[in-house]
Amino acid sequence: GAGVSQSPRYKVAKRGQDVALRCDPISGHVSLFWYQQALGQGPEFLTYFQNEAQLDKSGLPSDRFFAERPEGSVSTLKIQRTQQEDSAVYLCASSLFGLAKGHEQYFGPGTRLTVT
Amino acid sequence: AQTVTQSQPEMSVQEAETVTLSCTYDTSENNYYLFWYKQPPSRQMILVIRQEAYKQQNATENRFSVNFQKAAKSFSLKISDSQLGDTAMYFCALVVGSQGNLIFGKGTKLSVKP
């Protein structure tokens, strides 16, 4: 079966541009997470959805970051007025169940964003 | 606050040998889960092994096993009979039961040499 997919795989944006990153989770997965991975670092949590509800957005670094999952499947992470410090790999992960019991998260290949 | 620390930025091992990657963590919660994820070069992050904190028995998955020392808050990964395909970044991660997101360490870059 298909895993988690993300598009685009690579994105170059000029500082100040808006970008939209897409995540297609595994079909039927309830939970969806976004993480930001800076070069040479471990991923850091951005936001969490359970179906269409955004239950935790405590990791979003600024109000320029916005995420949605309107129908409980595909999710989009939008970054407005990109800055150089936004350059990173953005990872999406999905999990079959909700938050209980620390179930496995399945990761997508990531979108590498470079802001010039 | 929860933290995960991996003190070995890079390690190398000869093919067929055994290597141990270290991880310590900190949380005040009693209900949590620990994971080791593998991120091969230019490939997706995949789960290697998972441990529930309430289980005393150490998890094993084929050549991969953990040494979970709850009192010491230590969670090391042992890879036996290392293979070239084990070359990757390895991340230790924590999930606290009241939340759901993974908290990652900075990773250990493992190179398996022929």
Side-chain angles (χ1 to χ4, degrees):
Chain A
V4 179
S5 61
Q6 292 186 245
S7 60
R9 292 291 311 278
Y10 302 91
K11 177 69 178 177
V12 178
K14 292 188 176 172
R15 191 173 57 158
Q17 282 185 332
D18 297 350
V19 298
L21 313 180
R22 177 186 170 109
C23 172
D24 283 81
I26 295 172
S27 177
H29 276 200
V30 168
S31 294
L32 187 145
F33 301 84
W34 283 98
Y35 295 88
Q36 180 190 59
Q37 186 175 19
L39 188 64
Q41 302 294 316
E44 292 191 353
F45 169 72
L46 293 176
T47 188
Y48 166 69
F49 290 86
Q50 183 168 302
N51 296 310
E52 69 279 3
Q54 188 175 20
L55 298 187
D56 188 349
K57 52 183 181 179
S58 62
L60 295 176
S62 78
D63 58 7
R64 297 185 295 104
F65 286 71
F66 171 76
E68 60 184 6
R69 193 186 185 198
E71 296 178 358
S73 55
V74 171
S75 178
T76 303
L77 176 67
K78 297 179 179 178
I79 309 173
Q80 297 177 325
R81 304 181 305 280
T82 53
Q83 303 294 315
Q84 282 197 313
E85 60 263 29
D86 300 335
S87 295
V89 175
Y90 291 84
L91 297 172
C92 175
S94 70
S95 181
L96 181 57
F97 301 105
L99 293 184
K101 301 186 180 178
H103 290 284
E104 178 178 358
Q105 294 182 25
Y106 295 83
F107 282 81
T111 295
R112 182 177 297 278
L113 173 65
T114 302
V115 181
T116 60
Chain B
Q2 285 73 230
T3 60
V4 176
T5 302
Q6 294 179 250
S7 58
Q8 305 154 313
E10 291 192 41
M11 292 193 71
S12 66
V13 63
Q14 291 295 129
E15 198 175 5
E17 297 294 307
T18 295
V19 64
T20 299
L21 308 184
S22 301
C23 173
T24 58
Y25 63 93
D26 191 25
T27 179
S28 58
E29 300 270 345
N30 289 320
N31 179 27
Y32 59 91
Y33 306 84
L34 293 160
F35 303 80
W36 279 97
Y37 275 86
K38 169 185 177 181
Q39 190 175 41
S42 302
R43 292 184 62 188
Q44 286 165 244
M45 185 106 62
I46 58 173
L47 178 66
V48 174
I49 201 164
R50 173 179 175 268
Q51 173 84 42
E52 295 98 331
Y54 62 85
K55 287 189 176 179
Q56 292 186 331
Q57 187 173 6
N58 289 324
T60 62
E61 286 288 341
N62 301 314
R63 299 183 294 107
F64 299 89
S65 61
V66 298
N67 183 5
F68 176 43
Q69 301 289 327
K70 191 171 184 178
K73 295 184 176 176
S74 170
F75 184 63
S76 61
L77 174 70
K78 185 171 83 171
I79 306 174
S80 304
D81 185 26
S82 297
Q83 301 176 359
L84 296 178
D86 295 334
T87 292
M89 283 291 290
Y90 286 81
F91 291 98
C92 179
L94 166 70
V95 166
V96 172
S98 59
Q99 302 170 354
N101 56 286
L102 289 157
I103 301 161
F104 287 90
K106 290 189 174 183
T108 296
K109 183 178 180 180
L110 177 67
S111 299
V112 179
K113 301 185 184 302

